[in-house]
Amino acid sequence: MPAGPELLIVGLFFLVIPFLTAFWGDTDAEKRGDDRATFWALAVGGLTGFGGLPALAVYLWQRD
């Protein structure tokens, strides 16, 4: 049963990092005038863990 540092790492990986990347993606897309800002936030943050990395890469690639 994991405890202590393991739970902190799991919590950071599955809760904090996706939230921060979703927040950053949404604010960045809104600043750039992208109509799909909410979509990008859901794609990057909603695909928790490694699933959000390809979505983040696609967003970075497609932005102006």
Side-chain angles (χ1 to χ4, degrees):
M1 187 92 188
E6 293 89 3
L7 287 177
L8 178 64
I9 292 170
V10 169
L12 182 70
F13 186 72
F14 286 107
L15 297 174
V16 175
I17 292 174
F19 176 77
L20 291 176
T21 55
F23 179 75
W24 174 81
D26 184 55
T27 55
D28 185 63
E30 284 181 358
K31 275 195 267 183
R32 295 177 180 275
D34 193 347
D35 295 333
R36 300 170 302 201
T38 304
F39 166 76
W40 286 115
L42 291 174
V44 172
L47 298 172
T48 305
F50 292 116
L53 293 177
L56 181 62
V58 168
Y59 170 69
L60 292 173
W61 176 68
Q62 69 84 32
R63 72 181 192 167
D64 296 329

